Amino acid sequence: MKFRTLTKSLFFLFVFPFVLNAQYTIRGKIFAADNKEALPFVPVLIKGTTIGAQADFDGNFIIKTSKLSDSVVAIYVGYKRLARPINKNLMEQEINFPLQSVGGLALDEVVVKAGENPAHRIIRNCVKFKPKNDKNNLTSYEYETYNKLEFDLNRIPKEMREKKILKPIAFVFDNVDSSFSGEKPSLPFFIIENLSQFYYKKNPTRKKEIVIGSKITGLENASVSQVLGDMYQNINIYDNNILVFNKQMPSPVSENGLFYYKYYLVDSAFEGNQYIYHIRFKPKRVQELSFTGNIWIADTTWGAKRLEMSLPKDANINFINSVNVIQEFSLADSVWMLSKDRLVIDFAPTKKAIGFYGRKTTSYKKIKLNQPKEDKFYEFADKIEVQDEALKKSDEFWAENRHDSLTQRELKIFKMIDTIQSLPVYKTWLDVFYLLIAGYKKVNNFEIGPYSNLVSYNRVEGTRLRFGGRTSALFSRWYELNGYVAYGLLDEKWKYALGFKSFLSKKPTRQIVGVNYRSDNEILGQSTNGFSQDNVLASLFRSSPLTNLTRVDKVEGYYERQWFPGLTTKASITGRQFTALGTNKYQYLKKDGAVAERESINNTEARLNVRFAWKEKYVGEGFERVSIGTRFPILQVNYAKSLQNAFKGEYDYQKLVVNVSDRIRITPILGYTDYIIEGGKIWGVVPYPIMELHGGNQTYIYDYAAFNMMKYYEFVSDQFVSAALFHHFEGLFLNKVPLLRKLKWREVATVKAVWGTVNEKNRKPLLFPSTLSSLDKGPYAEASLGIENIFKVFRIDAFWRLNYQLPRAIDNFGFKFGFQLAL
């Protein structure tokens, strides 16, 4: 008995101290309850103690302690406090925190009676040290960057998931990440990984990115690998203004930040050997395009250590419920370099409608500063090079080289997308989407369309029927055949076209050759942006009957080359025969003064077109690419030399047209201005169909490239200068009106003018029709005021014809409407 007592005593003597010092482990994730996105750097404390931890960049935390209480608490500015119970019977447990937003910044104004707001001093120092902390001021830098992008269809309601159309992919909704309890199932579009090496040199400024590996699931397009790289997707907080979705917004450390933001010093503490200030910022004015969030700034160096910012919920921007930007910086040779970057976007037409999440995470490693390479390495323009084997990397390569291992959720997505793509319903969805966007219906190796031109009407042809199409990428990715036939029920004549184009090369230079033949009716006095005369919308919304058409028989051969991204040339030889139709006649004066008519005129030209848009970016690899713009002016030069007596050419002349366009952004609060300036001159004697017929618009649909109050065949010049200004106020005035603020309408104003002359010699080859004249009385001008962003897709403009007044006053004023999808 004594032995048992002694044994128990010894047991408690040796074991009890270990029990007292037992290590409990609590781990978990902190995320926003509304969109399930991770919240970084959130403090977590065991209630009633000073024991806790801070969440990392991805919202994960871990607490190891020998002391427990009944709960653990997470507190974060802008979110409701949340306490979760602790199970004391478990040595290890997982506790997640879905934090609810308070719906705005619940911060009281800080009134400082003596001195200034301490946050202002810190922000001014950060601005002062921007030249030192901005990596783009370094002599050079390079790093390895890893990007991961995912798109998921979200907010799919249960009743829709049970519909027949989604039955083939019902298994997707059984594989949602369980760590986000209560999350509505999402359907993954695609997930992409990208590994590249990025190089920068300041003087002269050069950038180069080499895509080493790219794993694309759900989309086959190497150009996506380019735009996912660091060159196009990096938000630099040290820029005064940050361009997001083509919207200019002030940086929280802008030189004019105090004009746009209110700042609050939340906390200051040592992190390692750095003293860090935590500052919260929010916009000064309602619905202004600016950010709200937190920034952590290091003392002494005054560089940003961490950044978390988002768009305010009332920001005047379309189709986006939320945008969150999270960045983390680390010191490299006394410079705060970006080490992690996350961008999360919730796209949807309304806050509760079906939409999709876009998540992009980037990390940076192997950073080297001020070790520039030779100039020839960077080449002339910003260069993105996708290595030949980049899309063929093995799973072993990715396991070894990706910066962070994939989560179980991401591994599931890879498998789900592969499965979904193998289903017939997936192809059907893609075909429907392509039909809506491109206007063509895919049928095996052929595409039928465009559907907007199948049926139309005008006074010359009556009802017009058309059928056409083109070969698809399934037929060939290197060449394309296209054509159509059309028939007018009134004029009982056939129209037709046939074309062929082929790539000569895609890398390193893009080269295309092609030939086209077309015999059809055209509107000569129309802008290059106007609807074709057989477009159904043009037929439905004409403001006056279309009677002035010209039959144009055109044959063309061309060679197009992109020398480097942003510089493209096109050389062509074009022969045209013009035949007047409808009320138009080709009349001329004979030597005896009598008026005579001719059926047609013939012309042959050699043309050279040059388009220069420095650092312009494109998405797409086929014949039709989509430009995602440039921040620099776009210059276009078009030169033509007639080939008299060649292929029935009748005239001897030269023609030069120069066009410059750009977008000017001065300050975010005032919106932006687009301008187009164009000038041209013809040397030689030509009839009016070959001169510059200034583009009019006889529809109720707004055309930005036309003079919207000018009629077709109204003004012509052989030398001219035109200018157009478009200012978008982005809601500058309407946002101040409480009753209109919620509509998020935006104001727009335009002014256009053109001046030109006609040499007397050019009035002789053909007599001007009664509707056509030159600008002898000075420049023609018109102006408009409008509202855009009506129901997010419409705009209405009121136009005034400022001179060359028409006899009826009502014809000098008019309304135009337009469709536009803009953020």
Side-chain angles (χ1 to χ4, degrees), residues 635-662:
L635 171 66
Q636 298 182 75
V637 179
N638 300 316
Y639 172 77
K641 173 67 177 73
S642 65
L643 302 177
Q644 192 176 26
N645 301 321
F647 307 104
K648 299 182 180 181
E650 300 180 48
Y651 306 100
D652 182 20
Y653 66 91
Q654 297 181 69
K655 182 177 182 179
L656 178 67
V657 177
V658 179
N659 179 293
V660 179
S661 60
D662 193 15

PDB file of all heavy atoms in Angstrom, residues 635-662:
ATOM      1  N   LEU A 635       0.009  57.510 -83.098  1.00  0.00           N
ATOM      2  CA  LEU A 635       0.263  58.238 -84.343  1.00  0.00           C
ATOM      3  C   LEU A 635      -0.026  57.317 -85.519  1.00  0.00           C
ATOM      4  O   LEU A 635       0.470  56.189 -85.576  1.00  0.00           O
ATOM      5  CB  LEU A 635       1.714  58.715 -84.391  1.00  0.00           C
ATOM      6  CG  LEU A 635       2.193  59.316 -85.730  1.00  0.00           C
ATOM      7  CD1 LEU A 635       1.462  60.624 -86.020  1.00  0.00           C
ATOM      8  CD2 LEU A 635       3.704  59.519 -85.712  1.00  0.00           C
ATOM      9  N   GLN A 636      -0.817  57.821 -86.475  1.00  0.00           N
ATOM     10  CA  GLN A 636      -1.100  57.074 -87.697  1.00  0.00           C
ATOM     11  C   GLN A 636      -0.799  57.954 -88.898  1.00  0.00           C
ATOM     12  O   GLN A 636      -1.234  59.113 -88.959  1.00  0.00           O
ATOM     13  CB  GLN A 636      -2.559  56.622 -87.734  1.00  0.00           C
ATOM     14  CG  GLN A 636      -2.944  55.687 -86.601  1.00  0.00           C
ATOM     15  CD  GLN A 636      -4.380  55.226 -86.691  1.00  0.00           C
ATOM     16  OE1 GLN A 636      -4.726  54.377 -87.509  1.00  0.00           O
ATOM     17  NE2 GLN A 636      -5.235  55.779 -85.850  1.00  0.00           N
ATOM     18  N   VAL A 637      -0.061  57.398 -89.852  1.00  0.00           N
ATOM     19  CA  VAL A 637       0.293  58.104 -91.079  1.00  0.00           C
ATOM     20  C   VAL A 637      -0.155  57.239 -92.250  1.00  0.00           C
ATOM     21  O   VAL A 637       0.237  56.072 -92.360  1.00  0.00           O
ATOM     22  CB  VAL A 637       1.805  58.376 -91.167  1.00  0.00           C
ATOM     23  CG1 VAL A 637       2.142  59.084 -92.475  1.00  0.00           C
ATOM     24  CG2 VAL A 637       2.276  59.204 -89.986  1.00  0.00           C
ATOM     25  N   ASN A 638      -0.982  57.819 -93.125  1.00  0.00           N
ATOM     26  CA  ASN A 638      -1.483  57.112 -94.307  1.00  0.00           C
ATOM     27  C   ASN A 638      -1.060  57.878 -95.559  1.00  0.00           C
ATOM     28  O   ASN A 638      -1.427  59.046 -95.736  1.00  0.00           O
ATOM     29  CB  ASN A 638      -3.008  56.993 -94.269  1.00  0.00           C
ATOM     30  CG  ASN A 638      -3.495  56.240 -93.053  1.00  0.00           C
ATOM     31  OD1 ASN A 638      -2.941  55.205 -92.700  1.00  0.00           O
ATOM     32  ND2 ASN A 638      -4.523  56.762 -92.401  1.00  0.00           N
ATOM     33  N   TYR A 639      -0.290  57.214 -96.406  1.00  0.00           N
ATOM     34  CA  TYR A 639       0.184  57.834 -97.644  1.00  0.00           C
ATOM     35  C   TYR A 639      -0.297  57.000 -98.822  1.00  0.00           C
ATOM     36  O   TYR A 639      -0.269  55.764 -98.780  1.00  0.00           O
ATOM     37  CB  TYR A 639       1.708  57.917 -97.668  1.00  0.00           C
ATOM     38  CG  TYR A 639       2.269  58.379 -98.997  1.00  0.00           C
ATOM     39  CD1 TYR A 639       2.223  59.723 -99.360  1.00  0.00           C
ATOM     40  CD2 TYR A 639       2.808  57.460 -99.894  1.00  0.00           C
ATOM     41  CE1 TYR A 639       2.719  60.139-100.588  1.00  0.00           C
ATOM     42  CE2 TYR A 639       3.310  57.871-101.129  1.00  0.00           C
ATOM     43  CZ  TYR A 639       3.255  59.217-101.467  1.00  0.00           C
ATOM     44  OH  TYR A 639       3.743  59.628-102.686  1.00  0.00           O
ATOM     45  N   ALA A 640      -0.767  57.690 -99.866  1.00  0.00           N
ATOM     46  CA  ALA A 640      -1.237  56.993-101.064  1.00  0.00           C
ATOM     47  C   ALA A 640      -0.681  57.675-102.302  1.00  0.00           C
ATOM     48  O   ALA A 640      -0.640  58.907-102.382  1.00  0.00           O
ATOM     49  CB  ALA A 640      -2.763  56.976-101.113  1.00  0.00           C
ATOM     50  N   LYS A 641      -0.246  56.875-103.258  1.00  0.00           N
ATOM     51  CA  LYS A 641       0.221  57.383-104.558  1.00  0.00           C
ATOM     52  C   LYS A 641      -0.565  56.665-105.645  1.00  0.00           C
ATOM     53  O   LYS A 641      -0.604  55.432-105.694  1.00  0.00           O
ATOM     54  CB  LYS A 641       1.715  57.110-104.738  1.00  0.00           C
ATOM     55  CG  LYS A 641       2.257  57.459-106.123  1.00  0.00           C
ATOM     56  CD  LYS A 641       2.209  58.965-106.356  1.00  0.00           C
ATOM     57  CE  LYS A 641       2.810  59.350-107.718  1.00  0.00           C
ATOM     58  NZ  LYS A 641       1.913  58.983-108.851  1.00  0.00           N
ATOM     59  N   SER A 642      -1.236  57.450-106.482  1.00  0.00           N
ATOM     60  CA  SER A 642      -2.028  56.839-107.544  1.00  0.00           C
ATOM     61  C   SER A 642      -1.121  56.184-108.574  1.00  0.00           C
ATOM     62  O   SER A 642       0.029  56.597-108.783  1.00  0.00           O
ATOM     63  CB  SER A 642      -2.904  57.896-108.217  1.00  0.00           C
ATOM     64  OG  SER A 642      -2.082  58.856-108.879  1.00  0.00           O
ATOM     65  N   LEU A 643      -1.644  55.156-109.231  1.00  0.00           N
ATOM     66  CA  LEU A 643      -0.937  54.464-110.313  1.00  0.00           C
ATOM     67  C   LEU A 643      -1.750  54.688-111.586  1.00  0.00           C
ATOM     68  O   LEU A 643      -2.592  53.879-111.972  1.00  0.00           O
ATOM     69  CB  LEU A 643      -0.800  52.972-109.997  1.00  0.00           C
ATOM     70  CG  LEU A 643      -0.064  52.632-108.694  1.00  0.00           C
ATOM     71  CD1 LEU A 643      -0.063  51.120-108.457  1.00  0.00           C
ATOM     72  CD2 LEU A 643       1.362  53.168-108.722  1.00  0.00           C
ATOM     73  N   GLN A 644      -1.515  55.834-112.188  1.00  0.00           N
ATOM     74  CA  GLN A 644      -2.281  56.197-113.381  1.00  0.00           C
ATOM     75  C   GLN A 644      -1.977  55.221-114.520  1.00  0.00           C
ATOM     76  O   GLN A 644      -0.831  54.834-114.736  1.00  0.00           O
ATOM     77  CB  GLN A 644      -1.958  57.631-113.811  1.00  0.00           C
ATOM     78  CG  GLN A 644      -2.904  58.201-114.852  1.00  0.00           C
ATOM     79  CD  GLN A 644      -2.598  59.658-115.162  1.00  0.00           C
ATOM     80  OE1 GLN A 644      -1.466  60.102-115.008  1.00  0.00           O
ATOM     81  NE2 GLN A 644      -3.602  60.405-115.588  1.00  0.00           N
ATOM     82  N   ASN A 645      -3.019  54.819-115.199  1.00  0.00           N
ATOM     83  CA  ASN A 645      -2.936  53.891-116.331  1.00  0.00           C
ATOM     84  C   ASN A 645      -2.629  52.452-115.923  1.00  0.00           C
ATOM     85  O   ASN A 645      -2.507  51.571-116.782  1.00  0.00           O
ATOM     86  CB  ASN A 645      -1.896  54.354-117.358  1.00  0.00           C
ATOM     87  CG  ASN A 645      -2.220  55.729-117.912  1.00  0.00           C
ATOM     88  OD1 ASN A 645      -3.386  56.045-118.160  1.00  0.00           O
ATOM     89  ND2 ASN A 645      -1.190  56.556-118.095  1.00  0.00           N
ATOM     90  N   ALA A 646      -2.471  52.196-114.631  1.00  0.00           N
ATOM     91  CA  ALA A 646      -2.263  50.827-114.173  1.00  0.00           C
ATOM     92  C   ALA A 646      -3.591  50.278-113.684  1.00  0.00           C
ATOM     93  O   ALA A 646      -4.257  50.905-112.843  1.00  0.00           O
ATOM     94  CB  ALA A 646      -1.232  50.787-113.055  1.00  0.00           C
ATOM     95  N   PHE A 647      -3.994  49.146-114.209  1.00  0.00           N
ATOM     96  CA  PHE A 647      -5.264  48.520-113.816  1.00  0.00           C
ATOM     97  C   PHE A 647      -6.422  49.518-113.950  1.00  0.00           C
ATOM     98  O   PHE A 647      -7.242  49.688-113.058  1.00  0.00           O
ATOM     99  CB  PHE A 647      -5.195  47.989-112.395  1.00  0.00           C
ATOM    100  CG  PHE A 647      -4.031  47.084-112.133  1.00  0.00           C
ATOM    101  CD1 PHE A 647      -2.925  47.535-111.424  1.00  0.00           C
ATOM    102  CD2 PHE A 647      -4.016  45.783-112.621  1.00  0.00           C
ATOM    103  CE1 PHE A 647      -1.843  46.710-111.192  1.00  0.00           C
ATOM    104  CE2 PHE A 647      -2.932  44.954-112.386  1.00  0.00           C
ATOM    105  CZ  PHE A 647      -1.849  45.410-111.681  1.00  0.00           C
ATOM    106  N   LYS A 648      -6.452  50.224-115.060  1.00  0.00           N
ATOM    107  CA  LYS A 648      -7.503  51.188-115.422  1.00  0.00           C
ATOM    108  C   LYS A 648      -7.474  52.464-114.582  1.00  0.00           C
ATOM    109  O   LYS A 648      -8.447  53.231-114.581  1.00  0.00           O
ATOM    110  CB  LYS A 648      -8.889  50.551-115.314  1.00  0.00           C
ATOM    111  CG  LYS A 648      -9.100  49.354-116.230  1.00  0.00           C
ATOM    112  CD  LYS A 648     -10.524  48.834-116.091  1.00  0.00           C
ATOM    113  CE  LYS A 648     -10.756  47.621-117.000  1.00  0.00           C
ATOM    114  NZ  LYS A 648     -12.143  47.111-116.888  1.00  0.00           N
ATOM    115  N   GLY A 649      -6.387  52.726-113.840  1.00  0.00           N
ATOM    116  CA  GLY A 649      -6.303  53.945-113.055  1.00  0.00           C
ATOM    117  C   GLY A 649      -6.338  55.190-113.921  1.00  0.00           C
ATOM    118  O   GLY A 649      -5.620  55.284-114.918  1.00  0.00           O
ATOM    119  N   GLU A 650      -7.194  56.176-113.544  1.00  0.00           N
ATOM    120  CA  GLU A 650      -7.407  57.357-114.382  1.00  0.00           C
ATOM    121  C   GLU A 650      -6.697  58.608-113.874  1.00  0.00           C
ATOM    122  O   GLU A 650      -6.514  59.567-114.642  1.00  0.00           O
ATOM    123  CB  GLU A 650      -8.910  57.667-114.458  1.00  0.00           C
ATOM    124  CG  GLU A 650      -9.757  56.562-115.032  1.00  0.00           C
ATOM    125  CD  GLU A 650     -11.226  56.962-115.075  1.00  0.00           C
ATOM    126  OE1 GLU A 650     -11.522  58.076-115.549  1.00  0.00           O
ATOM    127  OE2 GLU A 650     -12.065  56.170-114.608  1.00  0.00           O
ATOM    128  N   TYR A 651      -6.267  58.633-112.624  1.00  0.00           N
ATOM    129  CA  TYR A 651      -5.851  59.908-112.026  1.00  0.00           C
ATOM    130  C   TYR A 651      -4.413  59.837-111.534  1.00  0.00           C
ATOM    131  O   TYR A 651      -3.884  58.759-111.221  1.00  0.00           O
ATOM    132  CB  TYR A 651      -6.797  60.276-110.880  1.00  0.00           C
ATOM    133  CG  TYR A 651      -8.237  60.282-111.318  1.00  0.00           C
ATOM    134  CD1 TYR A 651      -9.069  59.193-111.032  1.00  0.00           C
ATOM    135  CD2 TYR A 651      -8.751  61.348-112.047  1.00  0.00           C
ATOM    136  CE1 TYR A 651     -10.385  59.178-111.453  1.00  0.00           C
ATOM    137  CE2 TYR A 651     -10.082  61.333-112.485  1.00  0.00           C
ATOM    138  CZ  TYR A 651     -10.888  60.250-112.181  1.00  0.00           C
ATOM    139  OH  TYR A 651     -12.182  60.236-112.618  1.00  0.00           O
ATOM    140  N   ASP A 652      -3.806  61.034-111.437  1.00  0.00           N
ATOM    141  CA  ASP A 652      -2.417  61.160-110.990  1.00  0.00           C
ATOM    142  C   ASP A 652      -2.392  62.092-109.782  1.00  0.00           C
ATOM    143  O   ASP A 652      -2.642  63.290-109.923  1.00  0.00           O
ATOM    144  CB  ASP A 652      -1.549  61.713-112.125  1.00  0.00           C
ATOM    145  CG  ASP A 652      -0.085  61.805-111.726  1.00  0.00           C
ATOM    146  OD1 ASP A 652       0.311  61.100-110.756  1.00  0.00           O
ATOM    147  OD2 ASP A 652       0.661  62.564-112.361  1.00  0.00           O
ATOM    148  N   TYR A 653      -2.100  61.558-108.613  1.00  0.00           N
ATOM    149  CA  TYR A 653      -2.121  62.373-107.394  1.00  0.00           C
ATOM    150  C   TYR A 653      -1.341  61.678-106.291  1.00  0.00           C
ATOM    151  O   TYR A 653      -0.971  60.500-106.394  1.00  0.00           O
ATOM    152  CB  TYR A 653      -3.562  62.610-106.934  1.00  0.00           C
ATOM    153  CG  TYR A 653      -4.261  61.339-106.494  1.00  0.00           C
ATOM    154  CD1 TYR A 653      -4.225  60.914-105.168  1.00  0.00           C
ATOM    155  CD2 TYR A 653      -4.953  60.566-107.418  1.00  0.00           C
ATOM    156  CE1 TYR A 653      -4.855  59.744-104.766  1.00  0.00           C
ATOM    157  CE2 TYR A 653      -5.589  59.395-107.027  1.00  0.00           C
ATOM    158  CZ  TYR A 653      -5.526  58.989-105.704  1.00  0.00           C
ATOM    159  OH  TYR A 653      -6.138  57.826-105.311  1.00  0.00           O
ATOM    160  N   GLN A 654      -1.130  62.409-105.200  1.00  0.00           N
ATOM    161  CA  GLN A 654      -0.589  61.882-103.952  1.00  0.00           C
ATOM    162  C   GLN A 654      -1.475  62.372-102.813  1.00  0.00           C
ATOM    163  O   GLN A 654      -1.995  63.491-102.856  1.00  0.00           O
ATOM    164  CB  GLN A 654       0.848  62.351-103.722  1.00  0.00           C
ATOM    165  CG  GLN A 654       1.835  61.882-104.766  1.00  0.00           C
ATOM    166  CD  GLN A 654       3.237  62.364-104.470  1.00  0.00           C
ATOM    167  OE1 GLN A 654       3.866  61.929-103.501  1.00  0.00           O
ATOM    168  NE2 GLN A 654       3.732  63.276-105.294  1.00  0.00           N
ATOM    169  N   LYS A 655      -1.632  61.525-101.797  1.00  0.00           N
ATOM    170  CA  LYS A 655      -2.486  61.877-100.665  1.00  0.00           C
ATOM    171  C   LYS A 655      -1.783  61.504 -99.371  1.00  0.00           C
ATOM    172  O   LYS A 655      -1.234  60.404 -99.248  1.00  0.00           O
ATOM    173  CB  LYS A 655      -3.826  61.148-100.753  1.00  0.00           C
ATOM    174  CG  LYS A 655      -4.815  61.499 -99.640  1.00  0.00           C
ATOM    175  CD  LYS A 655      -6.149  60.792 -99.844  1.00  0.00           C
ATOM    176  CE  LYS A 655      -7.155  61.163 -98.763  1.00  0.00           C
ATOM    177  NZ  LYS A 655      -8.471  60.488 -98.971  1.00  0.00           N
ATOM    178  N   LEU A 656      -1.806  62.417 -98.403  1.00  0.00           N
ATOM    179  CA  LEU A 656      -1.190  62.180 -97.097  1.00  0.00           C
ATOM    180  C   LEU A 656      -2.182  62.571 -96.008  1.00  0.00           C
ATOM    181  O   LEU A 656      -2.733  63.678 -96.031  1.00  0.00           O
ATOM    182  CB  LEU A 656       0.092  62.999 -96.944  1.00  0.00           C
ATOM    183  CG  LEU A 656       0.817  62.871 -95.592  1.00  0.00           C
ATOM    184  CD1 LEU A 656       1.374  61.464 -95.417  1.00  0.00           C
ATOM    185  CD2 LEU A 656       1.932  63.904 -95.480  1.00  0.00           C
ATOM    186  N   VAL A 657      -2.409  61.674 -95.049  1.00  0.00           N
ATOM    187  CA  VAL A 657      -3.267  61.949 -93.897  1.00  0.00           C
ATOM    188  C   VAL A 657      -2.513  61.540 -92.639  1.00  0.00           C
ATOM    189  O   VAL A 657      -1.978  60.429 -92.557  1.00  0.00           O
ATOM    190  CB  VAL A 657      -4.596  61.178 -93.977  1.00  0.00           C
ATOM    191  CG1 VAL A 657      -5.430  61.436 -92.726  1.00  0.00           C
ATOM    192  CG2 VAL A 657      -5.376  61.571 -95.226  1.00  0.00           C
ATOM    193  N   VAL A 658      -2.470  62.438 -91.654  1.00  0.00           N
ATOM    194  CA  VAL A 658      -1.788  62.185 -90.377  1.00  0.00           C
ATOM    195  C   VAL A 658      -2.808  62.323 -89.258  1.00  0.00           C
ATOM    196  O   VAL A 658      -3.572  63.306 -89.225  1.00  0.00           O
ATOM    197  CB  VAL A 658      -0.614  63.153 -90.153  1.00  0.00           C
ATOM    198  CG1 VAL A 658       0.061  62.874 -88.811  1.00  0.00           C
ATOM    199  CG2 VAL A 658       0.403  63.032 -91.285  1.00  0.00           C
ATOM    200  N   ASN A 659      -2.815  61.359 -88.354  1.00  0.00           N
ATOM    201  CA  ASN A 659      -3.790  61.344 -87.265  1.00  0.00           C
ATOM    202  C   ASN A 659      -3.068  61.091 -85.944  1.00  0.00           C
ATOM    203  O   ASN A 659      -2.227  60.191 -85.856  1.00  0.00           O
ATOM    204  CB  ASN A 659      -4.830  60.228 -87.521  1.00  0.00           C
ATOM    205  CG  ASN A 659      -5.864  60.113 -86.422  1.00  0.00           C
ATOM    206  OD1 ASN A 659      -5.570  59.745 -85.295  1.00  0.00           O
ATOM    207  ND2 ASN A 659      -7.107  60.413 -86.772  1.00  0.00           N
ATOM    208  N   VAL A 660      -3.379  61.902 -84.925  1.00  0.00           N
ATOM    209  CA  VAL A 660      -2.814  61.736 -83.586  1.00  0.00           C
ATOM    210  C   VAL A 660      -3.964  61.693 -82.594  1.00  0.00           C
ATOM    211  O   VAL A 660      -4.863  62.535 -82.635  1.00  0.00           O
ATOM    212  CB  VAL A 660      -1.852  62.881 -83.213  1.00  0.00           C
ATOM    213  CG1 VAL A 660      -1.306  62.685 -81.793  1.00  0.00           C
ATOM    214  CG2 VAL A 660      -0.698  62.964 -84.201  1.00  0.00           C
ATOM    215  N   SER A 661      -3.941  60.719 -81.694  1.00  0.00           N
ATOM    216  CA  SER A 661      -4.972  60.622 -80.661  1.00  0.00           C
ATOM    217  C   SER A 661      -4.325  60.236 -79.344  1.00  0.00           C
ATOM    218  O   SER A 661      -3.280  59.594 -79.311  1.00  0.00           O
ATOM    219  CB  SER A 661      -6.041  59.592 -81.054  1.00  0.00           C
ATOM    220  OG  SER A 661      -5.461  58.310 -81.222  1.00  0.00           O
ATOM    221  N   ASP A 662      -4.969  60.628 -78.254  1.00  0.00           N
ATOM    222  CA  ASP A 662      -4.413  60.329 -76.935  1.00  0.00           C
ATOM    223  C   ASP A 662      -5.477  60.582 -75.886  1.00  0.00           C
ATOM    224  O   ASP A 662      -6.520  61.186 -76.148  1.00  0.00           O
ATOM    225  CB  ASP A 662      -3.185  61.196 -76.657  1.00  0.00           C
ATOM    226  CG  ASP A 662      -2.368  60.720 -75.457  1.00  0.00           C
ATOM    227  OD1 ASP A 662      -2.591  59.567 -75.028  1.00  0.00           O
ATOM    228  OD2 ASP A 662      -1.549  61.484 -74.941  1.00  0.00           O
TER     229      ASP A 662
END
